[in-house]
Amino acid sequence: NNIFQFKFFEAAPAGKSLFVDNVYFWQPVATTTVDGWGTFASAYDVQVPAGAKAYKAAYSNTGGNEVLVLTELTDGIIPAGQGVLINGDASTTYGFTSAVSAPTTDMSDNDLIGTTTLTDVSAQRATSDIFCLRRTELFGTTAFCLYSGQYIPAGKAYLALPQINGQ
């Protein structure tokens, strides 16, 4: 899934070979907030970059106590299509490279939904509340906040949780 940009020349200069110049590889990235948190998803298995950690998140609502249980992906590989939380340095953009081995972390309890393309979430609102990670200046922290928009960009992760009181 790498995208290559090539520069081609119609004819080689006298005595020279044709060559390819300016080759670019598309690299998925995630940028953390000033608190060091971000979300991420990729269409293919990727390696967690140095200096960052990736977590799956399991939602729990026991006795009215809502929590997200975070579990680090200790194998350092984010499986294709899975949404994860990234934790690293504040306000840092991390680049991800293709994984060299298969992921081994069980992701069956991961409630983060990864977006590998621009994703319309309006239909999900019939049964779920949509939450996205963002920095809230009101509370001075990064948190999952109720999202009222229609689209989630590619390369992100969000939560679709049961509606409170059917609303």
Side-chain angles (χ1 to χ4, degrees), residues 126-149:
T127 58
S128 301
D129 286 330
I130 307 300
F131 291 87
C132 290
L133 190 72
R134 64 177 285 234
R135 171 78 182 172
T136 62
E137 296 307 323
L138 177 64
F139 299 109
T141 189
T142 299
F144 278 97
C145 299
L146 191 61
Y147 180 68
S148 60

Side-chain angles (χ1 to χ4, degrees), residues 52-139:
K53 292 183 178 184
Y55 298 87
K56 63 180 180 173
Y59 171 75
S60 174
N61 184 359
T62 306
N65 186 22
E66 294 182 289
V67 295
L68 275 180
V69 178
L70 303 183
T71 305
E72 185 178 354
L73 279 60
T74 55
D75 65 356
I77 300 171
I78 301 169
Q82 290 289 324
V84 295
L85 281 167
I86 298 296
N87 183 240
D89 293 332
S91 304
T92 300
T93 298
Y94 289 96
F96 295 79
T97 57
S98 295
V100 294
S101 59
T104 59
T105 302
D106 176 13
M107 300 295 281
S108 62
D109 61 344
N110 186 27
D111 289 316
L112 288 165
I113 301 167
T115 60
T116 58
T117 61
L118 181 66
T119 302
D120 186 340
V121 295
S122 29
Q124 285 183 286
R125 287 209 175 78
T127 58
S128 301
D129 286 330
I130 307 300
F131 291 87
C132 290
L133 190 72
R134 64 177 285 234
R135 171 78 182 172
T136 62
E137 296 307 323
L138 177 64
F139 299 109

Side-chain angles (χ1 to χ4, degrees), residues 9-62:
F9 295 88
E10 288 184 22
K16 303 279 183 180
S17 299
L18 284 176
F19 62 95
V20 178
D21 192 15
N22 298 330
V23 177
Y24 299 99
F25 295 93
W26 175 80
Q27 183 180 36
V29 297
T31 302
T32 59
T33 65
V34 296
D35 300 320
W37 290 96
T39 65
F40 177 77
S42 174
Y44 54 94
D45 297 345
V46 294
Q47 192 73 40
V48 177
K53 292 183 178 184
Y55 298 87
K56 63 180 180 173
Y59 171 75
S60 174
N61 184 359
T62 306

